[in-house]
Amino acid sequence: MGRNRSPSLIADRAASLAKWLFLLFFLIITLFPLIWLVISSFKTNLEFQTKPFSIPELWQFANYINAVSISGLHLLFLHTIVVSFASTALNILAASMAAFVISREPFRGHETVFNIVVAGILVPVIALMVPYFRLISGLGLYDTLFGLIITYAAVSIPVSVFLIHGFMRSIPRELEEAAVIDGCSLAQRFTRVIFPLSRLGLVTAGTFVFLFSWNEFIYALLLTSSVKARTLQLGIRFFKSQFITDYTSMYAAIVLSIIPTIFVYILFHDKIIKGMTSGAVKG
Amino acid sequence: MKYPMRTTGRALCFAAGLVLVSLFSGCDRQDAGEDEIVLKWPTIWVGKDSKAPMVEKLVAEFNEEHAGSIKVEIEPNPDYDGYRNKLNTAIASGQVPDIFVFNPDPTTFQYYEGDLLMDFSEDLKGSWGDTFVSGTIDAATKNEMVKSIPYEQAITPIWYNQALFDKAGIGSFPKTFDEFWAACDKLKAAGIVPTSQMTGGTNAWTSMLWYSHIVAGLGGPDVWKKPFSDPVFEKAAAILLHMYQDGNTTKDAVGGDAAVSGGHYLAGDTAIFINGPWYIGRVKSDAPEVYAHTKVTAAPQTPGGSSGAQIGFLLSNLAAAKTDDPTRRAAVISFMKWMTAPENIKRISMDSGSLFCVKFQVGDEAVDPLQKQFMEAAANATFITSHFQGNVTTDVAAEFGQALGKMVLGEAAPKEFVDQIIEATE
């Protein structure tokens, strides 16, 4: 029997080794750009341009000082935090109410309304630049953080409604019926029953909106003009001019800017994964 | 102590209100006096741009001189492509910035056709117009209207590293392309890659300039008036292709961008390069040895073509929104005259190394030796004509790199390279 088991054991181990090698390969492919970015952020520009894959001869911590001092990164960090959290909150509030009505309140044409809202996912950002510019300027919100907040919240509504709708639709109708018997109004059914039970979907959608708001560049450039309303992504571009780019200081700014998003992902990654997979099963 | 829910709710509402007030606070425009005219100037000359410190200084001095009547506010937009996108969007929305940097090319000259830009043609007819370098106002004129003031110009001669040439036993820069290929062979024999090239970036800048030099040499000053089906363009493509073959450039030139092309020259890996005067500062600071040995010249003479041409072009103009308010118009003109005053142009040129469309006298001040070579190259040119990119729309300029990439990878012959360009223009 031992002779029979050995080949199977070897085959299992070989399969396991192949699996780990396969995973290791993709881990390297995934992490390599990040590691390269961090290492490059400690080089001089000449070193970066001439030896892009080497270890820095002398680690240039001054790049990080440049990153903070030249672009005023600390203020832009604050703006980005405010914009990202506020737009996420506003988006989740609006999208959850929309998803609640579409998924829980049967009315004629609710599927059509859902499809129209979700079709917004397919509209490229660039197609909305002129209307958003006119709208925000017309409202007197040009060059304000609030202008960015409502734009980000609005742009992300299609994807949020799509994600939250799937969760809300899967909640058993009996729970709502019991709440109605206990005297809950429409608003109370939303705030006390459906909203809390959809938290997985809300967190998933919220994480997407947060990451979008944190990384967004085009609208931030379009709708702001001064430092008082600028975000981090614009600060990173301070190291790039028409013909010359200070790559290493720019990379230092990028490294600093991605730290919070990594933290957000670490904090919520289990909910994001759960949210994505359970949403997929429930359709 | 436990607060009742209603109190907590009110406190939260109050806090939210405070946050909203602070968010809207961006709306608090300038705290200017009632009669003060505020002109917003979204500009790319900020951040790391070599002109940024002097531009900031000139604006501050202008504001000080006109305190209480005119105030110019810089809105920093360092990202060039983003800046162009933003301008396109603003102009499409009918909301032109008070003052802006206008990049003159066939796409942006379409802005002239509407009624949104200020026309300076009458103002430039007086002594102000006489301060500009000959031909620059004509280059900014369309249908007898000058809706942008010519400001920064550039020539992009051939750069070469004399120390590497000496190492390879080459005394001076080759005069003809036959001599050029022989010099390339000597450089390769000495372990030096002859030229920096690139097919990447948004416009394959270095190679596009090489192509423009060769085309100008073959076709003369009016070459860009010829259709792309003219044999000149295919011949030039064949010469450019040779620069990518036989080790005449680096292996990473295919797909490489400006960092790759410039990086090799800065590192002393390549001996020949092309760029404008704005790159002087970078060479000086990052590669002082290369800077010390850099010389600039005209491209070698093409077989059957002319010699001594340079590629030069209007790099940036200044434009403004049209206004019916005569006081506001006068304020804009006043600022434009300040920014183009010869003494101010001299300051910004000396500080940044850039070349401008306004004439000024150089006295005993120390002019950067490389900048001086640029000035001499412009003065000694048999003629100056613009580059490929300046004669096509943005999408065709972007097609150049794609077509070049295909050609150097052996997927297209020079004729097919030109055909791809022609197809893009259609």
Side-chain angles (χ1 to χ4, degrees), chain B residues 204-251:
Chain B
W205 181 248
T206 310
S207 295
M208 186 276 293
L209 289 174
W210 262 115
Y211 185 66
S212 304
H213 271 278
I214 301 163
V215 162
L218 283 167
D222 294 328
V223 68
W224 300 112
K225 289 179 183 165
K226 296 181 179 183
F228 284 118
S229 53
D230 191 282
V232 159
F233 296 98
E234 191 182 324
K235 276 185 194 170
I239 296 173
L240 183 62
L241 175 61
H242 195 181
M243 291 203 182
Y244 275 87
Q245 295 170 328
D246 305 331
N248 287 329
T249 189
T250 54
K251 285 178 182 168

Side-chain angles (χ1 to χ4, degrees), chain B residues 120-133 137 149-150 318 329 332-342 358-359:
Chain B
F120 300 98
S121 49
E122 288 303 315
D123 308 275
L124 286 164
K125 280 179 183 164
S127 57
W128 185 25
D130 297 337
T131 61
F132 287 82
V133 173
I137 293 179
I149 307 283
L318 290 175
R329 188 177 196 284
V332 170
I333 300 287
S334 174
F335 181 68
M336 293 295 191
K337 284 185 175 173
W338 171 260
M339 288 303 291
T340 54
V358 174
K359 295 174 275 188

Side-chain angles (χ1 to χ4, degrees), chain A residues 13-169:
Chain A
R13 283 188 178 167
S16 175
L17 183 70
K19 181 185 80 180
W20 283 108
L21 284 175
F22 184 73
L23 288 174
L24 188 68
F25 172 74
F26 278 100
L27 181 73
I28 291 167
I29 294 284
T30 308
L31 286 183
F32 178 75
L34 267 179
I35 294 165
W36 179 85
L37 177 76
V38 174
I39 291 173
S40 297
S41 71
F42 286 101
K43 290 181 177 178
T44 63
N45 275 299
L46 185 62
E47 214 178 348
F48 164 74
Q49 288 183 314
T50 54
K51 298 170 193 165
F53 298 107
S54 68
I55 296 293
E57 281 173 24
L58 190 66
W59 292 72
Q60 303 289 328
F61 292 95
N63 292 339
Y64 281 81
I65 297 168
N66 275 347
V68 175
S69 61
I70 291 177
S71 61
L73 218 57
H74 51 292
L75 182 66
L76 305 184
F77 246 114
L78 185 67
H79 289 167
T80 310
I81 289 168
V82 170
V83 167
S84 301
F85 277 105
S87 59
T88 304
L90 197 60
N91 172 274
I92 293 301
L93 185 68
S96 61
M97 288 194 287
F100 169 67
V101 172
I102 294 169
S103 63
R104 311 296 300 186
E105 285 297 305
F107 62 90
R108 187 182 287 182
H110 72 280
E111 281 293 333
T112 310
V113 171
F114 175 70
N115 288 334
I116 289 170
V117 172
V118 169
I121 296 172
L122 304 174
V123 179
V125 169
I126 206 153
L128 302 172
M129 282 171 70
V130 173
Y132 267 114
F133 185 78
R134 290 197 76 140
L135 192 65
I136 295 296
S137 302
L139 289 170
L141 295 175
Y142 179 73
D143 202 23
T144 66
L145 292 181
F146 192 68
L148 283 183
I149 289 168
I150 58 168
T151 303
Y152 292 165
V155 167
S156 306
I157 277 180
V159 71
S160 297
V161 168
F162 176 73
L163 289 168
I164 299 168
H165 173 270
F167 284 89
M168 287 189 171
R169 210 172 52 171

Side-chain angles (χ1 to χ4, degrees), chain B residues 157-317:
Chain B
I158 313 293
W159 300 41
Y160 65 100
N161 185 330
Q162 184 63 58
L164 297 182
F165 269 53
D166 290 343
K167 191 179 164 190
I170 308 163
S172 60
F173 194 81
K175 299 282 181 223
T176 66
F177 261 99
D178 285 339
E179 290 173 19
F180 181 80
W181 300 128
C184 286
D185 290 340
K186 284 185 180 176
L187 286 164
K188 285 181 277 186
I192 301 158
V193 180
T195 72
S196 273
Q197 301 287 347
M198 56 182 271
T199 67
T202 51
N203 51 15
W205 181 248
T206 310
S207 295
M208 186 276 293
L209 289 174
W210 262 115
Y211 185 66
S212 304
H213 271 278
I214 301 163
V215 162
L218 283 167
D222 294 328
V223 68
W224 300 112
K225 289 179 183 165
K226 296 181 179 183
F228 284 118
S229 53
D230 191 282
V232 159
F233 296 98
E234 191 182 324
K235 276 185 194 170
I239 296 173
L240 183 62
L241 175 61
H242 195 181
M243 291 203 182
Y244 275 87
Q245 295 170 328
D246 305 331
N248 287 329
T249 189
T250 54
K251 285 178 182 168
D252 54 4
V254 181
D257 62 4
V260 170
S261 168
H264 284 303
Y265 186 74
L266 295 179
D269 296 339
T270 57
I272 308 167
F273 176 58
I274 296 188
N275 215 336
W278 52 83
Y279 209 71
I280 294 172
R282 166 57 62 92
V283 186
K284 203 172 180 177
S285 62
D286 286 2
E289 274 195 38
V290 174
Y291 164 78
H293 295 109
T294 291
K295 290 186 175 175
V296 300
T297 186
Q301 185 174 7
T302 44
S306 56
S307 65
Q310 286 292 355
I311 297 299
F313 44 92
L314 283 180
L315 193 59
S316 309
N317 293 5

Side-chain angles (χ1 to χ4, degrees), chain A residues 206-223:
Chain A
T207 309
F208 274 103
V209 180
F210 182 88
L211 293 178
F212 167 77
S213 306
W214 190 274
N215 293 319
E216 207 285 328
F217 171 74
I218 294 176
Y219 285 122
L221 177 75
L222 186 68
L223 303 176

